[in-house]
Amino acid sequence: MTVHTPQNELAKRLRNLHVPGDPIVFTNVYDAATASFIANHPTTKAIATASFAIAASQGIPDNEMTLAQNIATVRSIASALTVDGLPKLPLSVDVQDGYENVAETIKEIISLGAVGCNIEDFNNRTEQMRTLPEAVNRIGLAIQTARELGVPDFVINARTDILGHGGSVDDAIERGKAFLAAGACTVFVWGPGGRGVRTEEVEKLVAALDGRLNVKLVIKDGYLTIPELKSAGVSRISMGPELYRAAMRAFEETANNLLESWK
């Protein structure tokens, strides 16, 4: 059955932006101010949050942030974007590992107008990788919940941290294929220590996952650029906390210059 609710139409729009070789690029936001700026940029097609930056802006380590703390910021972001009851652009929320109750998490963000999310397969509470069946079941539950709430085209970007926990690219591919089969739109392969994935890793992942790959952009020399990732055939590029870190460096530099000038 085709669903034509306004929120599901936003979900369809977000899903259709994930095109291998012509990826959606997310300049991930972390508060109402950054969301407003990015939303008004002429190149922006959708909005995504970054949990690390949201946590850091509250003085909280990323893996200690609760759902309530995350939602508090997401609510302000959604409010800054809302026109006629829904965000004016598709909104995807980084819900970390989905927290204890995945269904409740999805209900919370959909109630704020979100039409997509990131879900990790690393359990922040136990600090262990979830088994593949458990991780797949949680993605299935998220999709089922969204469907029951009238957003069947809800976009899940399923993140695997297996490379940073003793696994190989082949392990990431195994998990990625299972996540896609469970209904995820794309697979986000997180490099060890947040380093991003290397060229040969991207090539192998793109081939195995039919381009349905999300890669984190690392803004440092020696890492793949947006044109290079586009050429490699990925369908989603995320900046994660890169802009937050750049903003903090600028804040620190400006503050130091002003404070030093008083001496």
Side-chain angles (χ1 to χ4, degrees):
M1 180 178 69
T2 302
V3 177
H4 294 291
T5 65
Q7 193 161 356
N8 197 56
E9 292 305 308
L10 281 174
K12 289 179 181 178
R13 193 195 310 178
L14 178 59
R15 182 173 291 273
N16 289 336
L17 290 171
H18 294 74
V19 179
D22 187 19
I24 173 69
V25 179
F26 283 110
T27 47
N28 303 72
V29 304
Y30 50 90
D31 60 16
T34 54
S36 295
F37 176 84
I38 294 300
N40 289 314
H41 196 281
T43 65
T44 300
K45 298 177 181 178
I47 302 288
T49 70
S51 69
F52 178 96
I54 287 176
S57 67
Q58 297 182 48
I60 305 165
D62 186 26
N63 61 0
E64 294 180 14
M65 182 169 64
T66 65
L67 173 60
Q69 289 167 328
N70 196 352
I71 288 296
T73 296
V74 173
R75 182 175 289 108
S76 69
I77 289 170
S79 295
L81 302 174
T82 297
V83 177
D84 296 328
L86 282 175
K88 61 184 178 181
L89 291 168
L91 172 64
S92 180
V93 177
D94 184 348
V95 297
Q96 302 180 292
D97 64 352
Y99 306 99
E100 287 299 302
N101 189 324
V102 171
E104 286 303 315
T105 298
I106 298 302
K107 288 178 184 178
E108 286 270 15
I109 64 171
I110 285 180
S111 73
L112 297 177
V115 294
C117 74
N118 280 16
I119 296 182
E120 305 165 9
D121 58 1
F122 183 78
N123 188 325
N124 284 326
R125 181 176 58 82
T126 65
E127 298 186 346
Q128 300 289 328
M129 291 293 299
R130 296 185 190 275
T131 65
L132 181 53
E134 182 185 10
V136 168
N137 286 341
R138 287 168 70 83
I139 290 171
L141 178 56
I143 291 169
Q144 177 186 338
T145 302
R147 185 181 298 115
E148 291 170 353
L149 293 172
V151 193
D153 291 290
F154 190 83
V155 175
I156 291 186
N157 185 36
R159 171 174 149 175
T160 179
D161 285 24
I162 195 69
L163 283 182
H165 295 274
S168 65
V169 173
D170 287 336
D171 293 324
I173 289 170
E174 178 187 19
R175 286 189 170 236
K177 287 183 174 180
F179 297 159
L180 294 174
C185 177
T186 45
V187 178
F188 185 7
V189 178
W190 189 257
R195 66 159 169 77
V197 285
R198 301 187 180 97
T199 302
E200 64 276 11
E201 294 169 334
V202 170
E203 292 172 348
K204 189 171 182 178
L205 288 161
V206 164
L209 302 175
D210 297 324
R212 298 171 68 182
L213 178 68
N214 178 204
V215 174
K216 176 185 174 291
L217 187 73
V218 180
I219 309 176
K220 292 180 181 177
D221 290 342
Y223 289 90
L224 291 168
T225 63
I226 290 176
E228 288 169 337
L229 287 169
K230 180 177 181 179
S231 179
V234 308
S235 57
R236 178 169 173 150
I237 300 170
S238 301
M239 294 192 185
E242 293 289 324
L243 291 179
Y244 167 80
R245 287 171 172 152
M248 291 301 99
R249 287 193 296 269
F251 180 93
E252 181 180 13
E253 180 182 355
T254 303
N256 283 337
N257 289 340
L258 288 171
L259 294 172
E260 290 295 323
S261 69
W262 293 356
K263 291 184 176 180

